[in-house]
Amino acid sequence: PRGDSHIPVALSPLLVPGASRAVLQWGTGPPDLDTYVTVPNPDRSLPDCLVSYRQKSCFRAGSAGYVNLDLDSTGHGPSGGLPETTTFGPPPASGRYIYRAQHYSGSSSDRLLASGATVTLFTPQGQRRFVVGRDGYVEGINWFVFSLEAPLMQATPCDRTSCPTSLCAAGGYRTRQGSTYLC
């Protein structure tokens, strides 16, 4: 291969038993994609928690449902940039975790679909790679990537039933029209 070719590789340090990690990578554009994870609250009488660049973790490390945005990567340039990494710490809270990526400051799905974005999920069962435009679905500036069913942490690509667009109301929406949030 020529010296200017790039082959993206997702690596993950050794995780503590029972933990999982998601690694979001993309090409040179758009300059910023953001990770959003809806985390089930261990106390089902309370609302779910949302991990994003605004709130980098939910719950305390070592407590049920702990999720942490380890790296919020911004400013991709001509050669790309750093990946965003999110750790799902043990023990998981029962329920559905939903992972999505958003084109920060985007106005349509065009650049997100052309980004070449991938999410590699490392779980105790192995690793799985999700590709924008192939896995999950794109709505506006959001790519709904996968859901994890706890406590087994089995990943399934998002569909409109398992990962509803109503989640955008919690954060990461493109625009708001009255009480309607558009992803």
Side-chain angles (χ1 to χ4, degrees), residues 8 19 23 27 32-33 35 40 62 65 74-75 83-84 92 120 124 136 144 155 175:
V23 179
D32 191 10
L33 295 183
T35 296
T74 61
E84 292 212 353
T120 305
F144 289 81
T175 188

Side-chain angles (χ1 to χ4, degrees), residues 38-124:
T38 303
V39 181
N41 195 316
D43 181 346
R44 298 313 297 157
S45 67
L46 297 174
D48 291 340
C49 184
L50 183 68
V51 169
S52 72
Y53 67 93
R54 289 188 178 120
Q55 178 175 327
K56 292 191 174 18
S57 63
C58 285
F59 313 113
R60 289 186 323 275
S63 67
Y66 175 71
V67 174
N68 188 68
L69 176 60
D70 306 314
L71 177 64
D72 175 28
S73 178
T74 61
H76 271 47
S79 60
L82 297 172
E84 292 212 353
T85 60
T86 306
T87 300
F88 300 79
S94 291
R96 178 177 290 151
Y97 295 73
I98 298 174
Y99 184 102
R100 62 186 163 103
Q102 181 213 51
H103 172 193
Y104 180 80
S105 75
S107 59
S108 74
S109 60
D110 297 345
R111 292 193 68 203
L112 177 58
L113 286 166
S115 69
T118 63
V119 174
T120 305
L121 177 64
F122 299 88
T123 67

Side-chain angles (χ1 to χ4, degrees), residues 26 29 32 45 65 98-99 116 124 129 138 162 177:
W26 66 101
D32 191 10
S45 67
I98 298 174
Y99 184 102
R129 187 169 179 245
V138 173
S162 64
Q177 296 175 345

Side-chain angles (χ1 to χ4, degrees), residues 11-32:
L11 301 174
S12 176
L14 188 62
L15 293 165
V16 297
S20 299
R21 178 168 292 126
V23 179
L24 168 64
Q25 296 177 282
W26 66 101
T28 58
D32 191 10

